[in-house]
Amino acid sequence: MKLVAGNSNRPLAEAISAYLNVPLAKCQVKRFADMEVFVEIQENVRGEDVFVVQSTSFPANDHLMELLIIIDALRRSSARRITAVIPYFGYARQDRKPGPRTPISAKLVANLITNAGADRVLTLDLHAGQIQGFFDIPTDNLFGAPVMVRDIKERMDNSNRMVVSPDVGGVVRARALAKRIDAPLAIVDKRRERPGESEVMNIIGDVSGRSCILLDDIVDSGGTLVNAADALLANGAKEVYAYITHGVLSGGAVSRIANSKLKELVITDSIMPTEAVKVAHNIRVIPIAPLIGEAIGRTATESSVSSLFD
Ligand code: R5P
């Protein structure tokens, strides 16, 4: 078994390598002067079961291209099996046609990864579960929920917790968490007229006096979270926490969250945290390497990955 890392999240790849006690394979991912990507695998991978760790996070196109070119290099080096380990799968929000003459970019990206030569995909909290079906190769979609449940149980008193879905699309995910921590569920009725701008219309459920836990897959501009937190507090919530798998945190998101009424935002390191994230007073990062490392180990030994969902 070999582990190969792209440049998107080297600390996560190193943590996975430490978890598995498998060193990262020698591999150089460089740029030509015109920024074309060049990859050189510097050790023999012939006949190996290879796992390529690369999130397609910002800059998404560069990181996607790196992933594709690493897979191509491995295929041409006669690797036996190539698994694309994509802790954060970018382009996932483009999973349907929002209007006429628009693309389904998540499907295009799935095709690119497959055609580059991946045999399997291992990813985490896909924006929509059905994106799994965009791949015609085996795809495991891990859930961050068990890691979050552990953290919530360790840190929060269970008497007045309430799980809140920040939009109608996230209800299934939020209901599953509510069930795991034995808490009631509320729903924010969010509207989005333009990308990056969200507005809360209503709160469905009685949140008064509750410690609310907003659960989502992605925090990008932070607008969804900050608006939801304001609305929950205006409706009598005692405090608001958020657990989000992927901290995309574009533009001014970190300062928007730091200046918000959110008590704490907890994210995983599926995307490499920036310095601003690390020093923000109300953002905490929990490690995802043990979950991904365990799933890689199980894939390599052909054992069950689904038991990790419990
Ligand atoms: C949307 O469906 C997603 O689950 C997130 O709620 C959204 O991507 C968050 O975006 P932002 O932080 O920009 O409001």
Side-chain angles (χ1 to χ4, degrees):
M1 165 186 180
K2 297 267 182 193
L3 274 179
V4 173
N7 285 325
S8 69
N9 195 342
R10 189 85 193 179
L12 176 63
E14 282 163 3
I16 292 171
S17 145
Y19 180 88
L20 290 165
N21 203 13
V22 172
L24 291 176
K26 290 196 187 71
C27 165
Q28 283 224 317
V29 182
K30 295 192 285 199
R31 293 278 186 279
F32 285 116
D34 64 354
M35 296 309 281
E36 278 184 8
V37 176
F38 175 72
V39 168
E40 191 180 0
I41 314 284
Q42 294 170 321
E43 59 186 78
N44 182 23
V45 292
R46 197 174 281 269
E48 297 279 2
D49 190 10
V50 187
F51 295 82
V52 185
V53 182
Q54 176 82 328
S55 280
T56 49
S57 51
F58 176 83
N61 300 334
D62 285 2
H63 287 152
L64 172 62
M65 211 55 210
E66 275 188 14
L67 174 64
L68 299 174
I69 292 176
I70 293 172
I71 293 172
D72 186 73
L74 289 167
R75 186 166 55 96
R76 293 175 195 282
S77 313
S78 306
R80 176 172 52 85
R81 181 171 72 168
I82 304 167
T83 301
V85 180
I86 313 172
Y88 169 66
F89 181 79
Y91 281 102
R93 285 171 286 180
Q94 297 185 45
D95 58 349
R96 63 194 177 285
K97 286 183 73 167
R101 297 173 296 282
T102 55
I104 304 181
S105 308
K107 172 62 180 156
L108 171 65
V109 171
N111 285 347
L112 290 170
I113 292 168
T114 308
N115 292 336
D119 298 293
R120 303 185 62 91
V121 170
L122 177 62
T123 186
L124 171 71
D125 278 339
L126 280 170
H127 178 60
Q130 57 270 27
I131 295 172
Q132 215 169 355
F134 288 6
F135 290 93
D136 284 331
I137 51 177
T139 298
D140 290 306
N141 179 26
L142 301 173
F143 299 129
V147 178
M148 294 173 177
V149 167
R150 231 171 291 136
D151 193 80
I152 292 168
K153 285 186 173 165
E154 273 168 24
R155 289 173 174 261
M156 285 176 76
D157 157 39
N158 70 354
S159 56
N160 66 346
R161 294 186 298 219
M162 186 166 207
V163 177
V164 182
S165 174
D167 52 33
V168 174
V171 173
V172 172
R173 186 183 297 118
R175 190 182 291 129
L177 181 80
K179 203 168 153 202
R180 280 168 185 262
I181 63 168
D182 196 20
L185 176 72
I187 301 164
V188 175
D189 174 22
K190 172 182 98 173
R191 303 281 155 85
R192 200 191 278 284
E193 295 299 332
R194 275 171 294 279
E197 282 176 37
S198 69
E199 191 189 342
V200 173
M201 308 304 283
N202 295 295
I203 308 269
I204 306 164
D206 180 7
V207 298
S208 50
R210 295 285 187 174
S211 292
C212 292
I213 304 170
L214 283 159
L215 181 78
D216 212 343
D217 58 326
I218 292 171
V219 48
D220 188 350
S221 68
T224 299
L225 274 191
V226 171
N227 292 343
D230 287 346
L232 291 168
L233 291 166
N235 278 263
K238 184 174 150 223
E239 52 192 2
V240 183
Y241 293 82
Y243 278 75
I244 315 279
T245 310
H246 307 296
V248 174
L249 297 167
S250 319
V254 174
S255 64
R256 189 169 298 125
I257 285 157
N259 295 318
S260 76
K261 294 175 187 147
L262 262 181
K263 184 121 190 192
E264 186 173 52
L265 163 63
V266 181
I267 54 175
T268 78
D269 53 359
S270 64
I271 295 174
M272 188 165 70
T274 59
E275 275 315 304
V277 169
K278 288 184 196 160
V279 301
H281 73 98
N282 60 350
I283 304 182
R284 184 161 55 87
V285 182
I286 51 176
I288 204 67
L291 178 70
I292 295 179
E294 186 60 33
I296 291 176
R298 291 182 186 206
T299 305
T301 55
E302 309 288 357
S303 21
S304 168
V305 168
S306 64
S307 51
L308 287 175
F309 301 164
D310 300 334

